[in-house]
Amino acid sequence: MSSLTSNLLKHADTPTGREEAWRFTPLKRLAGLHDRETDVVDQPSLFQKSGDQAGFSLKLVAADSVPPISTTDDVIVERIRESVARVTLLEINRNSEVSQPITFNRKNSIDKELSRTVIRAGANSKATVIIENTGGSLIGEEIEIILDSGATLNFVTLQEWENTTVHLARHHAIVGRDATFNSITVSVGGSVVRILPTVEYTGPGASAELLGVYFATDGQHLEHRIHVDHGVPHAKSRVNYKGALAGNQARSVWIGDVFIRAIAEGTDTYELNRNLLLTDGARADSVPNLEIETGEIIGAGHASTTGRFDDEQLFYLMSRGIASEEARRLVIRGFFSEIIGKIGDEIIEERLMSRIDNDLAKVGA
Amino acid sequence: MSSLVIKNLRVGVETDSGLTEILKGVDLTVNSGETHAIMGPNGSGKSTLAYSIAGHPKYTIMGGTVTLDGVDVLEMSVDERAKAGLFLAMQYPVEVPGVSVSNFLRTAATALRGEAPKIRTWVGEVKAAMTKLNMDPAFSERSVNEGFSGGEKKRHEILQLELLKPKIAILDETDSGLDVDALRIVSEGVNRVKAESNIGVLLITHYTRILRYIKPDFVHVFANGHIVEEGGAELADKLEENGYAEYIKS
Ligand SMILES: Nc1ncnc2c1ncn2[C@@H]1O[C@H](COP(=O)(O)OP(=O)(O)OP(=O)(O)O)[C@@H](O)[C@H]1O
Ligand SMILES: [Mg+2]
């Protein structure tokens, strides 16, 4: 049995931490979200903040009317599916091009909450969805994103939480024929953030780009478990996550599972994870995992690096009069800009960069 | 009038077998307006001297002093040395991904001048300096040194020299890797800065070619971690002819 399928083992019970999928996660800090004994309310917490009003529809619908499409063994997601009665449904009209990003923010309750969202990008539609996660929250979240043929969806989630938040999520994209899914996942806030950015394909010519950045400081646990399932021929995936860690007990986990099934001839995939350890006491786990059942592919590769700050870069900048804190700030901004610069919204980009600057200054890195 | 005074400087690097001495007592004074050329065989310690003056963390000072206008340079952090008026054009300029040339230059100028240069005049200043060095203004938006060709990196170093206007500049093999036209353009840049602000120049080179453009007042032969001979411009010609054999044998 492949080690990837271990993710699909059925475990209806509360995780103990011995499971492969949970062995990195600090279960004690999850506020019981993973434990069926704990009371959690059903709460649609996403609200549109700005953007166009035309070309799509946004509704709250009964859960029965949008049954889950994908399969999962994730305990949190199972729990969400069992208990959530209303689902936020965003449908981009077919053939429509929504020029302004559809931006959401969250109105959190003070309770532990579960939330389910379905995004459907109609055939040949084009849109950008941005989700801004701010505030303090204890939330389990499932977002299923379905791209019909020829659709292009840019999907940006920003974890700008306060540092008390627990956020356990699965963002699953189902990418249709000739459709393009571009995602950017940014995690800078939260006490524990555990996101499963996962992708499956339903038609050839489908393409998914999963980009991410995370910045963990003192005590933060930021975990991203990518899973890309190449189950159709001629699909493409690109994964690129960059993380930096600073301060005591700053922790990141990056899992990059890419599975190329026997049927998936002509697959083209590459995944990359780079981590920058800025201080002692921080730890980054990075586990790329590629399984290939057919040799008839265009390309499959992965790379993972975890390193310290580049002293040569610091020296170069400082030799031009730039003070060391400023030089470090520049190098770190430079490190993240490759991905943050792709969000395409200067206000958001600068907001994220300043948050990183401030967090960095706080830990004195 | 500034002067960089190096006295009996001894510098080592940490190796597997402990601290290894590379500079074995260097004495050298560079004053404003003077141009000193340092020539010497590979591995003799020329870059070590340059980096030690700039404060690279890899090098350990084992003895001696370096002062700029009487102030101890070795006590200063790297950025303080730049603020005091030292500049090092590096033999191997470092790539800094994601940091644009324009942001880098402006941040450096702000640090050195103590206030941010006025946006409007600054953009013009940078553009003019780039034009003079035959650099495409598109370089402004590229990441610092990333993907630059060898010659482009060297021009970028001299661009910084022109914009940052130090008191004393150390140019470590700035001429290596330049084509004939670039060599002339870069040399003209150095001469312009000399003419405008009367800087002192310490020029490390393997070739007399650049010395035809930038006339040295003094030539120092560097071998085995220290200066073994000094003379005027004519010494460079002698080296070109005879090589370093007579200095290495000893
Ligand atoms: N980490 C190190 N371990 C051992 N030796 C080192 C280390 N770093 C530098 N050296 C040695 O120090 C010596 C001086 O090096 P340096 O770069 O200063 O020479 P250079 O005169 O600039 O040479 P070139 O003309 O080739 O640029 C060399 O022999 C080099 O191998
Ligand atoms: Mg050298």
Side-chain angles (χ1 to χ4, degrees):
Chain A
M1 189 179 68
S2 88
S3 64
L4 280 167
T5 52
S6 66
N7 259 351
L8 298 170
L9 286 178
K10 191 84 187 156
H11 48 66
D13 298 324
T14 306
T16 62
R18 281 190 296 275
E19 303 79 3
E20 178 57 32
W22 291 100
R23 70 184 175 100
F24 293 105
T25 316
L27 296 173
K28 286 202 190 82
R29 288 162 59 190
L30 301 188
L33 281 172
H34 65 302
D35 183 347
R36 278 171 223 265
E37 302 298 308
T38 313
D39 284 341
V40 180
V41 301
D42 157 18
Q43 160 116 344
S45 58
L46 277 186
F47 291 84
Q48 190 184 355
K49 178 183 161 189
S50 60
D52 282 342
Q53 300 297 334
F56 66 91
S57 78
L58 179 61
K59 289 181 292 228
L60 208 51
V61 299
D64 317 346
S65 65
V66 278
I69 300 179
S70 60
T71 56
T72 177
D73 69 340
D74 185 77
V75 161
I76 309 292
V77 176
E78 282 173 4
R79 209 174 165 190
I80 295 169
R81 291 177 174 185
E82 281 162 16
S83 45
V84 162
R86 291 167 305 162
V87 172
T88 306
L89 176 64
L90 169 66
E91 290 177 298
I92 318 284
N93 300 346
R94 58 182 306 153
N95 298 322
S96 85
E97 208 166 304
V98 185
S99 59
Q100 292 296 312
I102 307 165
T103 302
F104 292 89
N105 60 4
R106 222 176 259 285
K107 295 205 178 26
N108 300 112
S109 66
I110 49 166
D111 299 311
K112 293 170 192 156
E113 60 189 76
L114 297 174
S115 132
R116 200 178 142 223
T117 300
V118 173
I119 299 173
R120 181 179 281 279
N124 302 313
S125 65
K126 274 200 172 67
T128 296
V129 172
I130 300 176
I131 298 176
E132 299 182 349
N133 286 317
T134 57
S137 182
L138 303 168
I139 182 169
E141 174 196 50
E142 179 184 25
I143 305 180
E144 277 185 309
I145 306 149
I146 304 103
L147 283 79
D148 291 343
S149 61
T152 298
L153 185 72
N154 303 314
F155 178 72
V156 179
T157 64
L158 309 172
Q159 281 58 242
E160 299 176 81
W161 301 112
E162 285 166 16
N163 282 1
T164 50
T165 291
V166 176
H167 180 202
L168 308 176
R170 176 177 188 251
H171 299 162
H172 182 76
I174 302 166
V175 189
R177 182 188 199 100
D178 295 325
T180 304
F181 177 64
N182 299 315
S183 72
I184 302 180
T185 302
V186 177
S187 299
V188 290
S191 164
V192 178
V193 172
R194 183 180 186 273
I195 300 179
L196 284 55
T198 53
V199 174
E200 66 181 282
Y201 299 93
T202 52
S207 166
E209 181 179 62
L210 308 183
L211 304 179
V213 300
Y214 47 86
F215 180 56
T217 57
D218 283 345
Q220 276 185 294
H221 176 100
L222 305 179
E223 177 169 351
H224 299 88
R225 309 180 69 90
I226 289 92
H227 188 111
V228 180
D229 186 347
H230 280 275
V232 303
H234 302 290
K236 179 176 166 179
S237 60
R238 288 289 179 274
V239 179
N240 184 5
Y241 270 66
K242 295 177 103 172
L245 298 93
N248 209 17
Q249 307 288 328
R251 187 75 205 277
S252 73
V253 176
W254 182 87
I255 309 291
D257 286 341
V258 175
F259 193 20
I260 305 175
R261 293 177 190 270
I263 191 180
E265 293 184 356
T267 291
D268 179 5
T269 177
Y270 192 82
E271 55 168 348
L272 176 64
N273 175 225
R274 291 186 58 197
N275 293 298
L276 204 51
L277 296 173
L278 301 175
T279 65
D280 291 335
R283 175 170 164 185
D285 283 291
S286 178
V287 189
N289 188 9
L290 190 55
E291 289 207 15
I292 308 179
E293 289 183 348
T294 170
E296 304 298 311
I297 56 170
I298 291 175
H302 62 77
S304 160
T305 61
T306 297
R308 305 226 150 233
F309 217 84
D310 184 343
D311 287 336
E312 294 298 328
Q313 292 181 0
L314 268 192
F315 171 72
Y316 187 77
L317 297 175
M318 288 178 72
S319 76
R320 271 48 174 157
I322 301 170
S324 92
E325 310 78 69
E326 173 99 24
R328 293 176 78 92
R329 223 170 16 241
L330 275 178
V331 172
I332 289 163
R333 278 181 170 239
F335 176 72
F336 284 133
S337 71
E338 181 196 349
I339 287 165
I340 289 184
K342 288 204 171 113
I343 294 174
D345 177 320
E346 278 184 30
I347 294 171
I348 291 176
E349 291 172 14
E350 186 47 41
R351 190 176 73 213
L352 292 169
M353 288 294 194
S354 337
R355 164 120 187 199
I356 290 167
D357 285 351
N358 290 338
D359 288 356
L360 201 61
K362 262 185 234 155
V363 294
Chain B
M1 171 73 189
S2 282
S3 67
L4 176 71
V5 180
I6 302 160
K7 281 194 180 143
N8 196 24
L9 183 66
R10 297 190 303 119
V11 171
V13 291
E14 217 45 74
T15 67
D16 292 340
S17 48
L19 190 60
T20 307
E21 190 172 41
I22 309 279
L23 296 188
K24 300 168 179 167
V26 178
D27 290 284
L28 183 66
T29 297
V30 181
N31 295 309
S32 296
E34 296 176 356
T35 299
H36 294 250
I38 288 188
M39 305 183 79
N42 293 134
S44 55
K46 304 179 299 297
S47 292
T48 303
L49 175 64
Y51 277 130
S52 304
I53 297 168
H56 194 291
K58 164 177 158 184
Y59 300 95
T60 307
I61 307 298
M62 301 170 70
T65 58
V66 178
T67 59
L68 180 64
D69 302 330
V71 184
D72 187 355
V73 168
L74 299 178
E75 279 298 305
M76 299 178 191
S77 61
V78 176
D79 57 312
E80 285 167 350
R81 297 178 198 214
K83 288 183 186 117
L86 294 173
F87 178 87
L88 168 61
M90 293 182 204
Q91 184 174 357
Y92 304 109
V94 181
E95 301 191 354
V96 192
V99 178
S100 71
V101 166
S102 70
N103 185 16
F104 163 63
L105 293 175
R106 198 172 148 76
T107 308
T110 303
L112 290 177
R113 297 177 190 183
E115 58 174 356
K118 297 258 176 321
I119 266 286
R120 233 174 299 144
T121 51
W122 172 251
V123 171
E125 203 180 325
V126 173
K127 226 182 219 157
M130 288 181 115
T131 310
K132 281 187 261 179
L133 288 167
N134 239 358
M135 283 179 82
D136 186 336
F139 275 93
S140 290
E141 294 318 313
R142 287 177 60 175
S143 290
V144 171
N145 293 321
E146 196 179 36
F148 287 22
S149 76
E152 287 164 351
K153 284 182 181 164
K154 298 304 177 73
R155 281 184 218 214
H156 180 229
E157 295 292 282
I158 300 307
L159 174 69
Q160 295 167 52
L161 174 71
E162 289 217 66
L163 292 169
L164 303 179
K165 297 198 175 33
K167 293 175 180 154
I168 307 282
I170 304 166
L171 311 181
D172 190 358
E173 294 200 29
T174 300
D175 54 336
S176 298
L178 292 181
D179 66 44
V180 272
D181 296 325
L183 180 68
R184 181 178 45 77
I185 290 162
V186 159
S187 301
E188 284 168 2
V190 175
N191 287 332
R192 247 189 332 267
V193 181
K194 279 180 64 179
E196 278 166 26
S197 41
N198 197 40
I199 63 168
V201 175
L202 182 61
L203 187 83
I204 297 170
T205 182
H206 286 296
Y207 309 104
T208 50
R209 227 172 32 154
I210 191 171
L211 302 179
R212 286 195 203 106
Y213 295 106
I214 307 173
K215 292 266 175 261
D217 305 298
F218 308 93
V219 173
H220 310 268
V221 182
F222 209 85
N224 192 27
H226 58 284
I227 291 167
V228 291
E229 186 168 4
E230 295 176 310
E234 73 292 341
L235 179 54
D237 297 322
K238 193 188 127 193
L239 292 172
E240 181 119 297
E241 218 152 280
N242 304 339
Y244 299 110
E246 64 172 292
Y247 305 108
I248 304 176
K249 260 186 229 135
S250 56

